[in-house]
Amino acid sequence: MLKEVRCNLCGEDNFKVVYKTYSGAIDKADVVKDYKITEHSAKTLTRVVRCKKCGLIYTNPRPHVRSLVSNYVNMVDNEYVEEERGRRISAAATIRSLKKLRKKGRLLDIGCAAGFLLDEARKDGWEVHGIELSKWAVDFAKKKFGISTIFNGVLKNAGYPDNYFDAVVMKDSIEHLTDPKGTLIEIRRILKSDGILCINTPDIDSLVSRILKARWWGIKQSHLYYFTRKTLKKMLEVSGFVAIKVKSSPRTFSVKYWLSRFKGYSGVLHKTFSFFTGRKIFKDSLLTVNLGDQVEFYARKARRLRYLEELEKMPYAAKKKNLKVVAVLPAYNAAKTLKRTVADIPKECIDEIILVDDASKDNTVQAARSLGLKVFSHTVNKGYGANQKTCYLKALEAGADIVVMVHPDYQYDPKVIPQMIKPIREGKADAVFGSRMMKGGALEGGMPAWKHNANVMLTAIENIIFRTFLTEYHSGFRAYSRGLLKNVKFLRNSDGFIFDTEIIAQILLHNFKIEEIPIRTRYFDEASTIGLLPSILYGLGILKTLFKYMLHTMTPFKFKQFS
Ligand SMILES: [Zn+2]
């Protein structure tokens, strides 16, 4: 019936008992059957423990997921909806705070119950969506408020697309989840890169909780986690969020409800509130009280990539079996090297090869056609960036899940394509760059020293501004996921070589993950090379992009290209 669990935050199985509200053996404890949101604490049987490693406080052992879920699915709670007025006031306060951080947009309320918050948000101009297990609550919201966008189930089954919501709200729900960390990681996926997450939950570190101990109303069998500001902040961090605002939040209920809550508590609290009992007139009045034991967090997605180790273990990662891989060849005067390049492309991992010819002066097009490639041509020479734009558009049109760019000038060795697409295939990265700078590959391959040094210097500057670490930014050997290409506005980028730097800025701003693999390059006479002057102009173009990136991230000045 009950099951022992490990710490959800750090994975340790080493804890200290904080409260135990029953005597005798753990397995003798009864599990609450008819769960209600308004369930009172008095009869709660539970053991609350604190992880010795990270400090997370959680219920251990706890009922099996199936019995928890069936409790919620079958829940009917009329007392909950009787307090509609007060609950709306609390909900409206949350919406007001949210609005200061995000004007409006698409909002998801996880554990939306009867839909009071959704109705308040809708009045405020939000497009509202909800997640709720209780069939009764979903019906209530639908019948009473006409809200039909509530998914009756758990978040991971709702199937929302990536970067879909402007705001996600979890009010009094994170403490009920079996896997809060997994849920936060899933929220990170569906939240837009500049979206806001709001979490409201009891604070076990509060004064009231410390005074009342196990009798505090926050202690319930249905609460599987008891956060402090510190542990919630940590859990947000490991799931890829940054807390931007934390406050304690008041609750509003009718006097009658407050009284019923304090029933059974002796001492000052009960006496204070029972003062109202004899006065019928107050019974239906609303009373807003801030006991400081309910905390409200506002967070945004972290731009740093260190949390991604966690993401790699993502349980909800939708994995498509047969991913279509398209190799794109941005070509200009590549007739001489094309055949050798195509011959080295491992055909077993590529579904289609597309060549875009940027008005070559030689017979690149004929050579490509004779090799059986799908060919598109620019009528005038537009530049390397413009060529990539056509490449990616054509690959997306062809239904590519992974697009790998191979230069047809034979400078890069296409034999490493399987290694390049592997991290994307496994859902570990959205972009993979072949790096000439890992393990000194470029110099071995014969890159001129001045070029090598300039590259190293620009890379250092880029690492500082982008606050990320890549060994090189200027590789022409790259693979991208479909999701990445669909989300970043690459069509707004330069038609020249700066395209490659601009797309990195866009990737980072959208929180996509870049992985690097070492590659070797060959420099030989037939290979396309850039002279000194164009190289300097290229360097200046990169600096301009970095400057725009700084303006975009540090000032109110925004570029559509990066949005
Ligand atoms: Zn722990």
Side-chain angles (χ1 to χ4, degrees):
M1 199 90 172
L2 292 168
K3 147 180 182 232
E4 297 252 9
V5 284
R6 286 173 166 267
C7 172
N8 186 249
L9 182 53
C10 74
E12 272 293 310
D13 188 18
N14 186 10
F15 56 80
K16 184 177 164 266
V17 174
V18 182
Y19 304 130
K20 186 172 171 236
T21 62
Y22 53 88
S23 54
I26 293 156
D27 53 354
K28 296 275 160 32
D30 285 331
V31 177
V32 172
K33 287 257 168 52
D34 302 310
Y35 168 76
K36 281 184 173 53
I37 302 169
T38 50
E39 156 202 344
H40 292 290
S41 63
K43 53 190 178 239
T44 279
L45 297 171
T46 187
R47 190 178 75 172
V48 177
V49 305
R50 176 190 282 113
C51 172
K52 280 188 182 169
K53 191 179 172 201
C54 73
L56 181 70
I57 300 173
Y58 60 103
T59 298
N60 194 17
R62 71 178 183 215
H64 197 278
V65 182
R66 272 194 304 274
S67 84
L68 288 166
V69 168
S70 83
N71 252 341
Y72 293 120
V73 168
N74 300 317
M75 184 198 75
V76 175
D77 192 346
N78 291 310
E79 205 186 339
Y80 176 85
V81 293
E82 272 172 25
E83 291 296 318
E84 177 170 347
R85 284 185 308 148
R87 293 186 191 279
R88 275 182 182 276
I89 289 170
S90 308
T94 299
I95 300 294
R96 271 199 305 279
S97 302
L98 195 59
K99 208 172 179 174
K100 286 179 191 156
L101 301 164
R102 183 89 191 175
K103 290 277 170 282
K104 54 176 182 279
R106 192 177 286 134
L107 176 144
L108 176 68
D109 184 4
I110 300 173
C112 64
F116 300 145
L117 185 136
L118 291 180
D119 197 41
E120 288 294 323
R122 194 172 52 176
K123 279 189 211 161
D124 196 48
W126 295 82
E127 177 192 322
V128 297
H129 297 259
I131 296 278
E132 175 56 48
L133 274 171
S134 157
K135 286 191 185 102
W136 162 82
V138 173
D139 284 347
F140 186 97
K142 194 169 185 175
K143 273 185 205 138
K144 187 137 186 220
F145 310 126
I147 301 173
S148 53
T149 44
I150 299 176
F151 179 74
N152 189 197
V154 294
L155 177 64
K156 66 175 174 180
N157 294 334
Y160 296 118
D162 294 356
N163 305 305
Y164 192 62
F165 291 104
D166 295 278
V168 173
V169 178
M170 280 204 279
K171 244 186 143 164
D172 292 309
S173 66
I174 193 169
E175 65 273 18
H176 295 266
L177 302 172
T178 50
D179 178 16
K181 189 162 79 175
T183 304
L184 288 176
I185 290 169
E186 171 67 353
I187 292 173
R188 193 177 197 285
R189 181 185 74 76
I190 59 174
L191 189 64
K192 289 185 184 172
S193 61
D194 52 355
I196 299 291
L197 166 65
C198 167
I199 298 176
N200 189 308
T201 188
D203 180 357
I204 196 166
D205 214 16
S206 61
L207 185 66
V208 183
S209 151
R210 284 159 185 259
I211 293 170
L212 294 175
K213 297 200 159 66
R215 302 181 70 217
W216 176 49
W217 40 85
I219 308 292
K220 293 180 177 191
Q221 197 178 56
S222 59
H223 286 178
L224 307 183
Y225 294 92
Y226 298 91
F227 291 97
T228 64
R229 291 178 181 219
K230 210 171 147 190
T231 54
L232 185 52
K233 190 166 172 266
K234 216 168 186 177
M235 188 164 282
L236 282 165
E237 272 168 19
V238 301
S239 346
F241 289 95
V242 181
I244 48 177
K245 192 172 148 191
V246 184
K247 57 177 194 172
S248 69
S249 78
R251 271 166 297 196
T252 305
F253 293 118
S254 67
V255 170
K256 189 173 82 183
Y257 187 84
W258 280 112
L259 278 169
S260 71
R261 275 206 146 191
F262 290 129
K263 211 178 276 172
Y265 289 98
S266 54
V268 182
L269 275 173
H270 186 236
K271 275 179 195 150
T272 309
F273 283 94
S274 57
F275 171 76
F276 293 100
T277 22
R279 295 159 176 77
K280 270 204 167 138
I281 186 171
F282 291 120
K283 280 212 166 175
D284 290 322
S285 316
L286 291 177
L287 186 60
T288 300
V289 181
N290 191 343
L291 294 163
D293 63 341
Q294 189 80 7
V295 68
E296 194 159 87
F297 264 74
Y298 291 85
R300 64 162 175 79
K301 283 162 89 163
R303 294 234 166 81
R304 302 296 136 250
L305 299 175
R306 66 190 148 82
Y307 75 92
L308 278 157
E309 258 173 59
E310 303 287 335
L311 210 60
E312 284 172 12
K313 295 168 203 151
M314 195 161 118
Y316 308 146
K319 287 204 178 84
K320 198 178 150 191
K321 284 259 164 59
N322 302 310
L323 295 175
K324 181 167 183 180
V325 182
V326 173
V328 295
L329 277 55
Y332 180 64
N333 294 344
K336 279 183 191 166
T337 50
L338 183 62
K339 198 176 169 186
R340 268 198 289 182
T341 307
V342 172
D344 278 356
I345 294 177
K347 307 293 180 303
E348 65 282 1
C349 67
I350 296 285
D351 296 289
E352 196 171 343
I353 304 176
I354 294 175
L355 180 137
V356 176
D357 179 64
D358 198 19
S360 293
K361 295 188 188 99
D362 65 6
N363 57 349
T364 300
V365 171
Q366 292 90 313
R369 291 227 169 94
S370 71
L371 291 167
L373 311 185
K374 198 185 220 180
V375 181
F376 297 94
S377 306
H378 287 170
T379 48
V380 290
N381 183 264
K382 289 181 176 170
Y384 174 60
N387 198 331
Q388 282 192 59
K389 290 177 192 173
T390 310
C391 282
Y392 300 143
L393 286 178
K394 295 300 174 191
L396 290 175
E397 274 174 26
D401 293 298
I402 300 174
V403 181
V404 55
M405 170 168 73
V406 183
H407 282 195
D409 63 7
Y410 205 56
Q411 270 194 45
Y412 301 97
D413 184 0
K415 284 179 194 140
V416 299
I417 290 177
Q419 287 97 288
M420 298 225 22
I421 60 178
K422 192 169 169 253
I424 301 179
R425 205 181 265 289
E426 290 173 353
K428 291 180 180 173
D430 301 287
V432 179
F433 294 177
S435 168
R436 299 167 288 186
M437 298 297 169
M438 287 168 102
K439 299 175 186 169
L443 278 178
E444 276 173 37
M447 185 194 261
W450 69 270
K451 207 172 221 180
H452 182 264
N453 295 340
N455 202 340
V456 167
M457 205 178 72
L458 272 175
T459 301
I461 299 171
E462 282 165 302
N463 276 330
I464 292 165
I465 308 277
F466 286 141
R467 292 199 220 164
T468 182
F469 185 79
L470 290 176
T471 58
E472 94 142 294
Y473 285 83
H474 318 110
S475 162
F477 200 6
R478 300 176 174 198
Y480 296 119
S481 70
R482 181 183 188 83
L484 184 151
L485 291 173
K486 293 287 271 185
N487 272 289
V488 306
K489 296 192 171 63
F490 66 83
L491 288 175
R492 287 187 180 268
N493 292 354
S494 140
D495 281 342
F497 284 92
I498 305 308
F499 181 97
D500 279 347
T501 306
E502 291 169 314
I503 200 169
I504 293 177
Q506 292 167 325
I507 291 166
L508 295 174
L509 287 167
H510 280 83
N511 298 302
F512 284 114
K513 195 190 176 193
I514 302 172
E515 198 162 290
E516 288 186 308
I517 63 154
I519 54 164
R520 289 177 63 96
T521 47
R522 317 177 185 94
Y523 280 81
F524 50 92
D525 291 345
E526 287 97 334
S528 57
T529 46
I530 324 174
L532 182 61
L533 183 65
S535 294
I536 291 169
L537 293 175
Y538 174 57
L540 291 174
I542 289 169
L543 295 178
K544 183 181 144 202
T545 307
L546 293 175
F547 184 64
K548 276 163 73 182
Y549 179 86
M550 283 168 74
L551 284 179
H552 186 88
T553 51
M554 297 171 185
T555 72
F557 203 80
K558 300 294 169 209
F559 292 92
K560 274 190 184 155
Q561 179 187 22
F562 293 151
S563 65

